[in-house]
Amino acid sequence: MFEFDRVSNMDMLHRAWQKVAGKDSKSYGIDGVDLSVYRGDLMKHLRMLQAYVVTGNYLPQKEKVFKQKNRDICISCVDEKIMQTALSEIITSVYKPPNSVHGFIPKRSIFTAKQTLDHAMKSGMTDFLKVDIQKFYESTDIKRLFDMVSLLIGDEQFLQLLRLMLNVHKKGLSTGSCLSPVLSNLYLCNFDNEVANNTDFYTRYVDDMLISPIVSLNLVKEKLGEIGFEINEQKTAAVNVASGFRYLGFDIKSNLNTAIENRDFALAEKIFEVQECELSAETETVETIVETQKVEPDFPAHLIHVQKKCYIIRLIIQQAKTEHYLSYPDKMTLLQVFHCLGDAGMKYIHYILSFCENYDYATTQNHIRRYKADNPLGCKKLCERFGDNSKCSCKFSAEKMYPTPIIHAQRIQPDCFVLNSPKENIGHFKSHSPKRKAADALSSLMELNKKKYEIEEQQAVFKGQLESLFERSNSYELQTPQGLLVKTDDGIFIKVG
């Protein structure tokens, strides 16, 4: 009965702030206040938030909404994110989620979900039902959900605060709210238990479920219908480990040799049948296959030059072409190197990854579209990731420069890319010409003098502001968080400690 006191406690609000700030989001709500602004006067903001909540004057602001893939993504203001996180922590403390649920629960993740699947596969399970819920958050019945929370928590002030947060969103739960994950888990609690108790295997991460046996579909439809949900027919299907499938970003497929080593001959037979089917579908002869193997498109010379000159990039590309597999870091390396080379660079990424067995055009394109780094991957980071730079023969100029494999492309086509920042750190090959060295040194000196002038101007502005503050306070001392400011005839000094 004291949940409201807990949620409005300053320690709780500060802990909730740390969780919100830990996500390092650059987005902000309709008030325009982002994390950096809020952090600038943190205790003042938290005390004001606490005062509004305790006095009953707290009213959540509306969400900022934008569309992404046919769904509304909602962004709350920082105050609302803090309150949502605090409410979630209280609800989590009075509710124990089933072991079969892995989404947004402490010490559980997609990896624990994968571990349960691995264990099921080792025990002999091969056929599963993948189920996805249609419009998961949007279809949640808020009245039913609120009744479930009321059974767990009897504090009316707490419930009123929760009601205010839920009423901000017009229908269902908000996609993007810190409250939605824990509330959705609570909403599906009875469903999770019933399905788990009536099937051989069940795991769920948010709205992605994996169930065995596959005949459980009718049970799932019935139980979901009772709480107002429908399955997403397009994303719901029977899958098996012999043919392989994708779950939570993992490629799930059993290897014939592994099945035989584990003496799982039933699974080995299934995998063999799938492979035989794939072979029989190939009508081309071996000679024809060799003749029609993928021919490298006519990519611009500056792209090919990166591969020729950078040993590590060349090694990654060779692995894709010969082993038909690249690890996630290898894929990200290609993306981080070639993303700045325009459409040709994007096509080159698709071309190299298309050699891999798990290549998917839409997934790759989504990664390319979402990648926002200003500059290409630097050589130092590339060598650290690879773990061995003994065969790297690239020679770049001074340490202050920014060496990257893309410089090889720039040497062939100087305008192929522009470094967004810092422009003065564009690396280039060592020049043996004294004239070129002198030009480089002069250019660097001019840049430094320009920066020096700008810094001196800023110093003059800030010094004027301090002088004005001393005059208005009619004092020669000002207390600041950094220490005591003292004005003397020799200037302004700060006493620390």
Side-chain angles (χ1 to χ4, degrees):
M1 297 296 293
F2 300 99
E3 280 79 6
F4 180 78
D5 293 338
R6 291 172 61 196
V7 82
S8 58
N9 179 276
M10 183 56 72
D11 289 339
M12 171 64 81
L13 295 179
H14 194 268
R15 190 159 64 247
W17 152 256
Q18 289 177 323
K19 288 185 178 180
V20 171
K23 296 177 182 177
D24 197 27
S25 172
K26 295 181 180 179
S27 60
Y28 50 85
I30 61 172
D31 60 355
V33 176
D34 62 11
L35 294 178
S36 60
V37 174
Y38 203 95
R39 187 184 287 108
D41 206 346
L42 177 60
M43 293 313 298
K44 176 185 174 182
H45 287 300
L46 290 181
R47 288 192 187 101
M48 288 180 63
L49 175 59
Q50 183 189 41
Y52 280 127
V53 172
V54 171
T55 59
N57 293 316
Y58 175 68
L59 188 63
Q61 298 190 65
K62 292 182 179 179
E63 301 164 319
K64 186 168 71 175
V65 181
F66 66 95
K67 288 218 175 272
Q68 185 183 79
K69 288 186 176 180
N70 300 321
R71 62 176 177 174
D72 292 338
I73 304 297
C74 306
I75 301 176
S76 302
C77 299
V78 180
D79 275 343
E80 278 59 64
K81 289 180 179 179
I82 292 172
M83 287 311 305
Q84 291 166 6
T85 304
L87 289 165
S88 296
E89 187 164 328
I90 301 297
I91 295 171
T92 302
S93 68
V94 297
Y95 150 70
K96 184 178 179 181
N99 294 330
S100 55
V101 181
H102 298 267
F104 300 101
I105 297 172
K107 298 183 180 180
R108 301 188 201 178
S109 64
I110 59 173
F111 300 103
T112 57
K114 173 68 163 48
Q115 287 172 3
T116 62
L117 176 57
D118 289 340
H119 182 74
M121 291 167 58
K122 286 179 181 178
S123 66
M125 292 186 188
T126 58
D127 298 289
F128 299 90
L129 178 68
K130 275 184 69 176
V131 179
D132 184 89
I133 300 176
Q134 181 79 18
K135 296 181 179 179
F136 180 43
Y137 283 156
E138 184 182 334
S139 301
T140 302
D141 186 332
I142 294 300
K143 184 180 181 306
R144 184 194 297 267
L145 172 62
F146 196 81
D147 290 342
M148 295 177 72
V149 178
S150 302
L151 292 175
L152 294 172
I153 298 175
D155 190 327
E156 190 55 44
Q157 284 182 291
F158 179 94
L159 294 175
Q160 176 59 25
L161 187 57
L162 177 62
R163 188 182 289 110
L164 286 173
M165 299 301 298
L166 293 177
N167 287 344
V168 170
H169 198 66
K170 294 181 180 180
K171 183 180 179 182
L173 292 173
S174 166
T175 301
S177 166
C178 306
L179 258 175
S180 297
V182 65
L183 289 178
S184 63
N185 279 339
L186 174 62
Y187 189 77
L188 285 175
C189 181
N190 293 333
F191 167 83
D192 292 326
N193 287 326
E194 288 193 56
V195 175
N197 291 335
N198 289 281
T199 55
D200 298 330
F201 173 81
Y202 171 69
T203 188
R204 178 175 68 81
Y205 186 90
V206 190
D207 62 339
D208 291 319
M209 293 174 268
L210 205 60
I211 307 166
S212 184
I214 60 176
V215 292
S216 308
L217 182 58
N218 290 334
L219 170 68
V220 174
K221 284 184 176 180
E222 177 188 345
K223 296 303 177 184
L224 284 177
E226 291 175 0
I227 53 177
F229 284 139
E230 295 180 357
I231 68 167
N232 186 332
E233 298 285 355
Q234 294 182 342
K235 295 184 178 181
T236 298
V239 295
N240 65 76
V241 297
S243 300
F245 61 94
R246 195 168 180 81
Y247 183 62
L248 302 180
F250 297 102
D251 291 314
I252 311 298
K253 187 171 184 178
S254 283
N255 181 278
L256 179 59
N257 293 333
T258 304
I260 294 173
E261 287 172 7
N262 293 337
R263 305 188 66 80
D264 191 345
F265 299 111
L267 175 58
E269 186 177 353
K270 282 188 177 182
I271 297 172
F272 184 75
E273 289 173 357
V274 170
Q275 292 180 351
E276 285 287 296
C277 245
E278 291 172 350
L279 287 172
S280 64
E282 295 288 345
T283 56
E284 299 173 306
T285 64
V286 175
E287 292 78 8
T288 308
I289 293 174
V290 172
E291 290 174 2
T292 58
Q293 276 183 339
K294 192 177 297 182
V295 178
E296 183 161 317
D298 187 18
F299 286 106
H302 64 278
L303 276 175
I304 305 302
H305 200 61
V306 176
Q307 173 186 338
K308 289 181 179 178
K309 289 291 184 180
C310 181
Y311 165 73
I312 297 177
I313 294 298
R314 184 165 66 252
L315 203 66
I316 292 173
I317 292 173
Q318 287 174 351
Q319 181 179 335
K321 290 182 176 181
T322 57
E323 299 181 21
H324 309 294
Y325 172 80
L326 286 180
S327 65
Y328 181 77
D330 287 341
K331 293 177 182 178
M332 286 305 299
T333 297
L334 292 178
L335 175 59
Q336 291 165 345
V337 169
F338 291 103
H339 80 276
C340 61
L341 292 178
D343 291 340
M346 308 306 171
K347 290 178 181 177
Y348 197 65
I349 294 170
H350 276 289
Y351 170 70
I352 299 303
L353 294 185
S354 68
F355 285 94
C356 300
E357 291 180 350
N358 59 351
Y359 166 74
D360 178 77
Y361 178 86
T363 302
T364 303
Q365 188 63 22
N366 189 41
H367 279 296
I368 292 173
R369 181 179 58 80
R370 293 173 60 185
Y371 190 67
K372 301 294 184 184
D374 291 335
N375 299 324
L377 182 67
C379 293
K380 182 179 178 182
K381 189 72 175 177
L382 182 61
C383 289
E384 288 176 357
R385 183 178 294 175
F386 188 71
D388 176 22
N389 61 347
S390 59
K391 296 186 179 180
C392 181
S393 58
C394 302
K395 295 187 181 298
F396 299 106
S397 57
E399 291 181 1
K400 292 183 179 179
M401 296 298 179
Y402 178 80
T404 167
I406 295 301
I407 297 170
H408 296 301
Q410 194 186 37
R411 296 298 292 174
I412 300 297
Q413 186 175 327
D415 62 345
C416 66
F417 87 106
V418 176
L419 225 56
N420 291 324
S421 65
K423 289 185 178 179
E424 66 272 15
N425 286 346
I426 299 178
H428 52 77
F429 287 95
K430 285 185 176 179
S431 171
H432 297 287
S433 164
K435 183 178 179 181
R436 176 63 182 273
K437 287 182 178 180
D440 288 347
L442 179 60
S443 176
S444 298
L445 182 61
M446 291 173 65
E447 287 292 331
L448 288 173
N449 284 333
K450 181 180 177 182
K451 286 183 179 179
K452 179 183 176 183
Y453 176 74
E454 291 174 350
I455 291 171
E456 288 175 347
E457 276 193 331
Q458 291 175 358
Q459 285 177 331
V461 171
F462 293 134
K463 186 176 179 181
Q465 290 178 353
L466 288 175
E467 294 279 1
S468 175
L469 286 171
F470 278 113
E471 288 179 7
R472 279 186 287 174
S473 64
N474 196 26
S475 171
Y476 290 98
E477 293 185 351
L478 287 174
Q479 186 64 49
T480 72
Q482 290 83 9
L484 183 66
L485 274 183
V486 180
K487 181 182 178 183
T488 69
D489 293 337
D490 295 326
I492 299 173
F493 302 92
I494 184 167
K495 289 184 177 180
V496 181

